Amino acid sequence: MKLLAAAALIAAFVPALAAPPSSVPAAGASHGTARLDDCTHAHEHADARLRRPGGHAGDRSELTPAEAATVEQRLNRILRSLGLGPADEPTGENLRAKQRISIPVHFHVLHDGAKGNLSDAMVQSQVKTLNDSYGGRNGGADTQVSFSLSDVTRTDNAAWFNDPERNEATYKPKLRKGDKATLNLYSANIGGDLLGWSTFPWKYTSEPTMDGVTIHYGSMPDGHITNYNKGFSATHEVGHWLGLYHTFQNGCLGEGDRVADTPAERDPTNGCPTGKDTCPSPGADPVHNYMDYSYDTCMTSFTAGQGARMHKVWAAYRR
């Protein structure tokens, strides 16, 4: 679905590695060779990024296999200390038996005069979309994660609104509220090929004021970005904020996204294809999963395994 430049999640720079062409070209994609990380520009802050409509499937924000292994080793050490099983352990746990995670949301509207000055109703619609997505009301698993809107702030600042990436280290420390269990969601006019970005939960301790999610205001429900205006950009990025990787993490090799019930996927999905199956292992590509790159019109679900991982990562880093 979406993301831009690979952020330096642990390493300062991730080299580009070509991937073989997809066996089933994604709708709207070039028939040339697809790359899993065409963009090699590293960013100073660690985050997960989201690709915007058009262009090739690529521009990774997922970790390299070595980086992901390091993150998972640290995560599993914490989980063991809490008496919990590994984050990627296949589990038959019933999510209904889990204690619900209720997350307060501080929504920060950055705007330039009237441009981007969202109404309360639009903000509430985005929060409802999060609840529908994570509650399984569009399909898939009820992850037992819910969101409640605490407040809305509005900041009329043309520079912050029109170049939120460059000004991120300025507006976040000034506006952020709450603790590690609080979601700060920022809307702005993101340029380039981005719909949004998110920090991962394991970065909170070292960069607490940077924690949160920034989305393009046009990606919100009934926004102006064609094919990406059902509010699932926020759903996708909040998934990273809760510790999920992309469904195409590591491609067909290794341990993938560390979730057993999401089939392996070599190439990110572009558009809304049918029959896309890029890995020899069982199962077609999870094109309907919120952590792929599909059009919003294709996205419907999280899996039970993703829900279980959210709860374990929450216990390790946000509880």
Side-chain angles (χ1 to χ4, degrees):
M1 164 181 165
K2 318 145 188 177
L3 114 169
L4 160 79
L9 296 160
I10 295 178
F13 180 77
V14 180
L17 299 174
S22 172
S23 58
V24 181
S30 165
H31 290 275
T33 300
R35 295 172 67 88
L36 285 185
D37 47 355
D38 287 331
C39 186
T40 60
H41 301 291
H43 288 257
E44 293 180 357
H45 52 279
D47 54 13
R49 303 237 173 227
L50 188 62
R51 188 178 60 83
R52 200 180 162 178
H56 298 285
D59 295 76
R60 286 172 57 180
S61 69
E62 69 271 21
L63 283 65
T64 66
E67 291 170 344
T70 299
V71 168
E72 295 302 304
Q73 288 169 4
R74 292 171 179 168
L75 170 59
N76 288 330
R77 281 199 298 270
I78 296 172
L79 292 174
R80 283 195 297 271
S81 73
L82 297 172
L84 300 173
D88 59 352
E89 182 178 67
T91 177
E93 294 175 272
N94 187 342
L95 284 173
R96 293 184 183 277
K98 291 182 175 295
Q99 183 177 356
R100 175 172 289 277
I101 297 171
S102 182
I103 302 173
V105 179
H106 294 284
F107 201 108
H108 305 287
V109 176
L110 307 181
H111 62 100
D112 181 3
K115 186 176 182 182
N117 192 7
L118 308 173
S119 67
D120 285 349
M122 295 176 71
V123 172
Q124 290 162 0
S125 180
Q126 178 63 82
V127 175
K128 179 181 183 300
T129 296
L130 288 176
N131 280 313
D132 289 347
S133 302
Y134 284 83
R137 290 188 279 277
N138 299 323
D142 178 356
T143 67
Q144 295 293 298
V145 176
S146 60
F147 305 84
S148 59
L149 183 62
S150 294
D151 68 349
V152 180
T153 70
R154 289 184 171 77
T155 304
D156 189 352
N157 187 306
W160 293 3
F161 173 71
N162 290 301
D163 198 349
E165 198 172 9
R166 183 185 298 274
N167 291 287
E168 182 180 18
T170 302
Y171 65 78
K172 277 189 172 180
K174 290 181 181 295
L175 298 177
R176 194 186 186 283
K177 298 181 179 181
D179 57 14
K180 61 186 177 182
T182 304
L183 173 61
N184 281 257
L185 188 54
Y186 306 83
S187 64
N189 185 32
I190 302 174
D193 292 334
L194 275 172
L195 286 171
W197 66 85
S198 172
T199 55
F200 281 115
W202 43 85
K203 299 301 296 183
Y204 179 84
T205 300
S206 61
E207 299 178 336
T209 62
M210 299 302 289
D211 185 68
V213 170
T214 302
I215 58 170
H216 197 301
Y217 79 104
S219 73
M220 292 172 60
D222 299 319
H224 65 268
I225 302 178
T226 303
N227 297 320
Y228 298 93
N229 58 359
K230 293 175 68 67
F232 296 150
S233 293
T235 298
H236 176 107
E237 290 303 332
V238 171
H240 289 310
W241 187 81
L242 289 167
L244 297 184
Y245 298 126
H246 295 120
T247 51
F248 49 86
Q249 169 73 35
N250 290 351
C252 301
L253 306 176
E255 298 176 80
D257 65 351
R258 267 63 178 187
V259 176
D261 59 2
T262 56
E265 180 180 31
R266 187 187 67 200
D267 302 333
T269 300
N270 185 7
C272 197
T274 58
K276 180 171 176 277
D277 189 0
T278 55
C279 289
S281 54
D285 290 2
V287 299
H288 300 295
N289 195 280
Y290 292 121
M291 300 314 293
D292 200 351
Y293 272 10
S294 312
Y295 287 167
D296 278 16
T297 50
C298 277
M299 289 187 159
T300 60
S301 57
F302 289 114
T303 66
Q306 286 174 314
R309 179 177 170 87
M310 292 178 204
H311 281 258
K312 287 187 175 182
V313 174
W314 185 270
Y317 291 111
R318 294 203 182 274
R319 186 162 61 190

